Amino acid sequence: MASKRSQKADRIRHVMATEGDSVERNALGFNDGRYESVARLEDYDAYKDRARAIKEDAIERLPELIEAVRETVEANGGTVYVANDAADANRYVRELARERAAETVVKSKSMTTEEIDLNEHLEAEGCAVWETDLGEFVLQVADEAPSHLVAPAIHQSREEIATLFNERFEPEEPLETAQELTEFAREYLGERIEEADMGVTGANFVTADTGTIALVTSEGNARKTVAVPDTHVAVAGVEKIIPTFEDLQPFVELIARSGTGQDITSYVSLFSPPVSTPPVDFDDDEPIADDPNDREFHLVLLDNGRMAMRDDDQLRETLYCIRCSACANSCANFQSVGGHVFGGETYSGGIATGWEAGVHGQESADEFNDLCTGCSRCVNQCPVKIDIPWINTVVRNRRNRGADEGQLDFLVEGLTPDEEPAGLDLQKRFFGNFATLAKLGSATAPVSNWMANTPPSRLLMERVLGIDRRRELPTFERETFVEWFRNRDVPRPVDAEYHAVVYPDLYTNHVRTDRGKATVRTLEALGVAVEVPEVASSGRAPLSQGMIATAEGHAHEVSADLEPYLEAGYDVVVIEPSDLAMFRGEYERLLGGSRYESLADRSYEVFEYVYGLLENGTDPTPLRGGDAARGVGSDIAYHSHCQQRTLELEAYTTAVLDQLGYDVVTSDVECCGMAGSFGYKIEYYELSMDVGDRLGEQFETSDTADRTVVASGTSCLEQLDALLSRQPQHPISLVAPNGSD
Amino acid sequence: MATQLDTFETNLETVRTDVTRTTPAAFQETLAGVIDHPAVGASLPFEEVTLEGTDVTLEPTPDQLREATCGVTAAALGVADYGSVVLESTPAGAELAGLFPDRHVIVVRERDLVPDMAAAFERLGDRFRDGRDDAVLATGPSATADMGALVYGVHGPRETHAIVLEDNGE
């Protein structure tokens, strides 16, 4: 197990060193572009709702729509073939090539043909196959797999491409600039297109009512691939069908913005083949228009696991994906490693787990599924609103349940009162049961802290559990937050207008008790009657290890523990954003119904709650403002938490800090990279630090280097502590009135 | 208050497409000023203007298509919000003339402008169901960033130029 982890660490390190810079530059560029471009689109959210609704409807009615497409395409003069699997599709296209005696086949970019390895099958038929999309062409020459859904050669720099082309093609003058490389490829591929006997494209969308294939491109190669040869084969997954031509509109508005951050690509081709353009025979010298229009068109609709995904309540959402790559570009881990680490046989990024599990089988997703930390930044970026982290969690859960019988389970048996099968990866089991560990840690502190940090312990933890020795371990407090509250002798406010439970999340209760105490002092100073009862841990820890049954158990406990308070009119104030994200997000799936709603509706992030109090007229004077900090600490560098930002809660913290007279600058990275247990794991430690460096750099600029660093999440605080020499703190500790405790 | 034509023009420029406004009467003179030679094209489906009698070769041979540095074709619609044009494919090969040459001159009538994509798809839906069902929504020149930096002019045109036929010339 240990060597498997270190092999994985080696591979990640290698890819970060060789491809990381290009991937980072490109993914960040696309990501920034997306934010700018969707901000320019009026009705962005309404378009997302419409796009989602169209896809839900289309997948629901898919069998009927497949038949509708067959009818319209045949009425247009084409042929439709529904292929059960990759072999079936390849056999069909290969036979077409054989019948047409096709010597040269030109292709425009298609991930679906990557999925089925069509090129290899056509080459086996004796065809010369050419990728005409420049990114795909680079990969073809380099013999590499795509590292990105939209920009497949995202990992290659200009210099690397120049070296590759100069070695392979030996041009008279060595190629150097992007302009020269592009011109060379245009000319070279232009010749291939002129001699082509068959053109192969994918399809971004297929409309059932008009038999139209929509191709979203910018280079013009798809247009030429369709126009020049007299035979056109389009290979598309069955999920690409949408009911009507007009349904294309929201997708045309969304797809390029969501992907590369352009408002629209240069070309959105809307072809209802066989197309009316006459084919071009470059050996002929008659006017092109006089050519008899004897075009042939074949639409190959690929199942390859998709209909089974449609029947799978958890994987079905994957079929709504329009492969725009927003989930990859907005993913902090992807920004560091790209699709060669965060990807399977064909697909990459957040949604790849669903695709790979569906079309290539669970094993293809296993290797990279852990790269999704559940940070949730992709969720709001997805134009069809797919809950991508949930798909990743479900597949992780299935993988856990299919895991082999473990050898070392006895070691952590006492620490793992979970609902998971024997054989679950020990590391996952350890982190998933952090609640038990934390209780034990507090009960035996400070001895537990001394013991845990001895070199032999760290070595054992690294070997057995894969906990990286370079990470500092959390220090457990002997007196928990709940105990502190119970033991203190402070009268409750009489006739308080607001009553709130401060949720004692695992870290606040056992490790970072200070932020809990600060929250209580803050709320009480603002006149809120506060309670801190014993409440179960949220289930975030097991959920992030894919231990869904265990997480569900936690959710039910939390709900039961809080129910009497909710019934008595209490609000629930949550300090840890990842737990609030559970209450508002995953609990819908884990609890459902009214139990979910009553908790979700009444739970608030701590600054969201303070903001609400101040907005409703509560006097902020008792809080420590920027002036009270007397210059020290009045200038803030604030890093919000990934899930907090997804819930759109960052603004409450900055608004309150502003109101109290602090000068606040904020980070704009997607995630700190720590992500709960992720940054502790030996196979991911270096990746976690690489992601963290993007945040660290933002807080080491001339404007930020002297600022007090605050962050909302436990993980973020730990990561910032590792990245910076300054000690970060939770913003509530900054504004809370001084306490005697 | 900007007119729809103003918006269209501004957005065309944003997507690197030059614009010349003209009237049907001045069309051929305007065209002569913006095309490169040799030029190929497809006859314009408009009553008010024609490419007959210009230097543009209609119904080119494959060689003429390959050698052309400029292509002249009509746009069925212009989408003001995006600076996009709708290029319909025709049996005479309009798609080819607007795709192969380095420079694409697009002729669009002011009356064929629509404000946004919603309006464009409404119009196109009817056309597509009527059988005029191959079109490209083209926005600016062809482009790629696959070679490490943004480059214009990949498989399609490097330069795009719109000639807008104003309504008030009638």
Side-chain angles (χ1 to χ4, degrees):
Chain A
M1 191 58 87
S3 75
K4 209 174 152 197
R5 291 193 209 288
S6 71
Q7 276 169 19
K8 190 171 226 179
D10 289 348
R11 164 144 178 75
I12 292 173
R13 188 182 310 117
H14 174 72
V15 171
M16 283 200 296
T18 53
E19 304 182 357
D21 289 348
S22 289
V23 165
E24 182 180 48
R25 184 176 61 249
N26 288 308
L28 287 176
F30 294 153
N31 198 39
D32 292 346
R34 189 196 60 255
Y35 283 118
E36 288 165 21
S37 179
V38 301
R40 283 194 292 270
L41 181 63
E42 245 178 274
D43 303 327
Y44 171 53
D45 289 318
Y47 278 129
K48 290 205 293 188
D49 289 338
R50 239 178 95 196
R52 168 88 187 187
I54 291 166
K55 278 289 185 181
E56 281 182 4
D57 173 53
I59 297 303
E60 178 69 31
R61 298 196 281 131
L62 193 51
E64 167 200 329
L65 292 178
I66 291 172
E67 287 317 304
V69 165
R70 191 194 294 280
E71 275 174 38
T72 47
V73 169
E74 285 175 2
N76 290 342
T79 305
V80 174
Y81 183 74
V82 179
N84 290 326
D85 54 22
D88 192 12
N90 287 323
R91 182 192 51 74
Y92 183 82
V93 181
R94 195 171 160 168
E95 276 172 18
L96 283 175
R98 188 183 309 154
E99 283 163 18
R100 309 285 309 174
E103 289 174 11
T104 302
V105 176
V106 287
K107 289 180 69 208
S108 73
K109 182 180 173 311
S110 151
M111 291 304 285
T112 307
T113 60
E114 292 273 359
E115 174 188 322
I116 61 174
D117 296 322
L118 178 64
N119 293 14
E120 288 170 25
H121 288 83
L122 285 172
E123 281 159 7
E125 193 58 46
C127 303
V129 183
W130 292 100
E131 294 287 352
T132 60
D133 171 85
L134 264 49
E136 287 285 346
F137 179 54
V138 169
L139 296 185
Q140 185 177 21
V141 175
D143 194 21
E144 287 184 331
S147 60
H148 188 269
L149 288 171
V150 173
I154 190 180
H155 60 285
Q156 292 255 12
S157 68
R158 177 182 58 79
E159 293 81 357
E160 286 163 327
I161 297 168
T163 305
L164 179 73
F165 278 23
N166 289 331
E167 281 173 11
R168 167 71 186 266
F169 299 107
E170 297 177 349
E172 283 171 26
E173 286 291 312
L175 304 166
E176 190 184 335
T177 65
Q179 185 76 39
E180 289 164 1
L181 290 163
T182 301
E183 279 167 14
F184 172 82
R186 173 191 171 121
E187 196 172 323
Y188 187 87
L189 292 169
E191 289 167 14
R192 307 287 89 76
I193 292 169
E194 286 187 7
E195 67 198 24
D197 305 298
M198 195 161 110
V200 176
T201 69
N204 291 89
F205 306 95
V206 180
T207 64
D209 64 340
T210 58
T212 303
I213 310 275
L215 295 166
V216 180
T217 68
S218 276
E219 295 183 357
N221 60 314
R223 293 172 67 187
K224 282 184 172 168
T225 299
V226 170
V228 175
D230 60 8
T231 302
H232 173 198
V233 180
V235 181
V238 287
E239 84 287 359
K240 297 290 180 68
I241 303 174
I242 55 175
T244 71
F245 181 82
E246 281 81 356
D247 287 336
L248 285 168
Q249 187 227 331
F251 296 104
V252 168
E253 309 261 12
L254 290 168
I255 191 165
R257 295 178 195 269
S258 300
T260 51
Q262 300 160 277
D263 292 355
I264 191 166
T265 55
S266 299
Y267 307 123
V268 179
S269 299
L270 306 168
F271 294 141
S272 313
V275 294
S276 47
T277 299
V280 194
D281 178 355
F282 281 91
D283 295 332
D284 193 28
D285 55 11
E286 295 300 308
I288 299 161
D290 290 349
D291 247 25
N293 193 348
D294 57 352
R295 283 189 174 280
E296 207 179 307
F297 172 63
H298 298 263
L299 173 61
V300 180
L301 289 171
L302 180 70
D303 178 346
N304 205 30
R306 288 166 173 79
M307 296 311 266
M309 290 165 78
R310 180 173 170 269
D311 291 335
D312 181 327
D313 284 344
Q314 310 291 352
L315 287 188
R316 169 183 270 225
E317 257 198 307
T318 309
L319 297 172
Y320 305 161
C321 169
I322 60 170
R323 295 165 176 193
C324 69
S325 78
C327 58
N329 302 330
S330 61
C331 172
N333 280 345
F334 189 93
Q335 290 169 357
S336 282
V337 295
H340 286 164
V341 168
F342 198 158
E345 277 181 56
T346 307
Y347 298 102
S348 53
I351 197 62
T353 284
W355 279 121
E356 290 293 340
V359 306
H360 288 137
Q362 176 98 17
E363 321 77 67
S364 182
D366 282 355
E367 195 54 31
F368 67 92
N369 170 265
D370 283 349
L371 271 291
C372 172
T373 63
C375 87
S376 81
R377 292 302 302 147
C378 56
V379 171
N380 293 357
Q381 321 308 334
C382 175
V384 283
K385 304 174 80 163
I386 300 173
D387 191 345
I388 294 162
W390 180 256
I391 293 172
N392 280 295
T393 304
V394 166
V395 171
R396 195 168 304 160
N397 184 58
R398 289 179 182 175
R399 173 181 157 204
N400 290 345
R401 285 175 185 274
D404 293 335
E405 201 72 24
Q407 303 277 312
L408 294 158
D409 271 14
F410 65 92
L411 274 173
V412 281
E413 212 163 274
L415 295 174
T416 56
D418 58 38
E419 307 289 330
E420 309 302 319
L424 166 65
D425 177 80
L426 211 55
Q427 184 191 58
K428 286 195 161 60
R429 174 155 267 164
F430 175 82
F431 283 115
N433 287 286
F434 187 71
T436 315
L437 183 76
K439 273 180 205 147
L440 191 69
S442 278
T444 58
V447 179
S448 53
N449 299 319
W450 301 336
M451 289 300 291
N453 279 306
T454 62
S457 293
R458 293 307 304 259
L459 193 62
L460 189 69
M461 277 192 264
E462 187 168 287
R463 283 201 184 140
V464 178
L465 300 170
I467 297 173
D468 200 290
R469 269 179 291 171
R470 289 164 287 188
R471 280 282 178 202
E472 263 188 57
L473 295 178
T475 306
F476 296 109
E477 295 289 341
R478 179 79 194 216
E479 184 187 52
T480 66
F481 173 45
V482 171
E483 287 164 356
W484 165 83
F485 186 82
R486 195 188 296 141
N487 295 338
R488 103 204 150 117
D489 186 21
V490 175
R492 305 284 197 278
V494 184
D495 296 334
E497 202 174 334
Y498 302 98
H499 292 73
V501 165
V502 174
Y503 174 64
D505 66 85
L506 264 184
Y507 274 87
T508 304
N509 199 28
H510 294 279
V511 181
R512 294 190 179 268
T513 54
D514 281 354
R515 67 183 191 177
K517 297 170 190 175
T519 300
V520 170
R521 286 200 301 273
T522 300
L523 296 182
E524 287 183 342
L526 298 175
V528 180
V530 176
E531 291 294 340
V532 184
E534 290 269 8
V535 186
S537 60
S538 71
R540 168 62 70 189
L543 192 78
S544 66
Q545 309 305 319
M547 297 159 64
I548 295 178
T550 307
E552 193 174 339
H554 284 257
H556 283 277
E557 281 180 57
V558 168
S559 170
D561 291 343
L562 289 173
E563 198 175 358
Y565 293 95
L566 292 169
E567 280 175 4
Y570 278 74
D571 298 315
V572 178
V573 173
V574 184
I575 302 166
E576 178 56 41
S578 62
D579 285 336
L580 182 68
M582 288 286 283
F583 294 176
R584 289 197 186 167
E586 286 87 353
Y587 273 25
E588 185 171 10
R589 298 178 191 271
L590 301 176
L591 284 176
S594 60
R595 301 183 72 188
Y596 158 70
E597 277 166 26
S598 60
L599 179 55
D601 289 353
R602 298 277 292 287
S603 301
Y604 301 89
E605 194 270 334
V606 53
F607 272 88
E608 181 188 20
Y609 200 68
V610 170
Y611 177 87
L613 293 170
L614 302 186
E615 280 294 290
N616 282 302
T618 303
D619 178 13
T621 311
L623 304 185
R624 275 190 296 164
D627 293 344
R630 285 180 298 277
V632 182
S634 64
D635 288 346
I636 306 286
Y638 173 53
H639 172 66
S640 182
H641 181 274
C642 45
Q643 288 159 338
Q644 185 183 17
R645 289 181 61 210
T646 297
L647 294 173
E648 297 177 342
L649 297 173
E650 178 182 12
Y652 295 112
T653 304
T654 52
V656 169
L657 292 173
D658 277 344
Q659 192 179 338
L660 294 175
Y662 294 90
D663 183 66
V664 187
V665 295
T666 55
S667 64
D668 74 349
V669 295
E670 297 295 355
C671 179
C672 71
M674 187 68 192
S677 62
F678 186 80
Y680 285 107
K681 295 180 178 177
I682 188 165
E683 62 270 45
Y684 302 125
Y685 168 77
E686 285 164 55
L687 168 56
S688 162
M689 290 303 285
D690 190 73
V691 170
D693 281 340
R694 283 194 286 275
L695 170 60
E697 281 165 20
Q698 293 190 357
F699 285 177
E700 295 279 24
T701 66
S702 58
D703 179 43
T704 52
D706 295 326
R707 287 171 179 263
T708 300
V709 175
V710 293
S712 300
T714 301
S715 289
C716 324
L717 290 167
E718 286 171 9
Q719 180 77 317
L720 283 163
D721 205 7
L723 290 164
L724 304 172
S725 53
R726 282 162 290 168
Q727 180 93 30
Q729 56 184 311
H730 192 283
I732 200 71
S733 304
L734 207 68
V735 306
N738 284 318
S740 51
D741 33 54
Chain B
M1 176 90 186
T3 64
Q4 186 165 279
L5 177 55
D6 294 336
T7 307
F8 182 55
E9 209 169 82
T10 306
N11 288 323
L12 280 171
E13 281 160 13
T14 308
V15 299
R16 298 175 69 94
T17 301
D18 294 330
V19 192
T20 310
R21 292 192 198 192
T22 192
T23 60
F27 169 70
Q28 292 206 345
E29 193 186 332
T30 305
L31 182 73
V34 301
I35 58 173
D36 291 340
H37 299 282
V40 295
S43 46
L44 305 174
F46 306 139
E47 283 175 9
E48 47 283 65
V49 291
T50 178
L51 294 177
E52 303 287 343
T54 67
D55 290 343
V56 178
T57 305
L58 303 176
E59 307 207 350
T61 64
D63 262 348
Q64 286 170 320
L65 177 68
R66 185 166 33 200
E67 298 306 320
T69 56
C70 183
V72 184
T73 70
L77 295 176
V79 187
D81 257 10
Y82 279 85
S84 304
V85 290
V86 172
L87 309 173
E88 281 187 336
S89 306
T90 66
E95 165 73 351
L96 302 167
L99 181 60
F100 276 77
D102 203 36
R103 178 173 174 78
H104 183 203
V105 175
I106 305 143
V107 185
V108 57
R109 298 185 300 187
E110 184 183 356
R111 70 165 75 158
D112 292 323
L113 298 189
V114 292
D116 51 29
M117 269 317 157
F121 271 87
E122 209 171 288
R123 294 258 198 116
L124 286 173
D126 295 339
R127 293 167 96 100
F128 268 61
R129 272 181 286 270
D130 274 352
R132 293 163 73 180
D133 56 2
D134 298 308
V136 176
L137 256 170
T139 312
S142 86
T144 190
D146 285 348
M147 295 296 168
L150 188 58
V151 175
Y152 294 97
V154 197
H155 296 281
R158 185 170 52 85
E159 292 175 351
T160 44
H161 191 120
I163 296 178
V164 182
L165 294 172
E166 287 176 289
D167 285 346
N168 56 17
E170 293 163 31

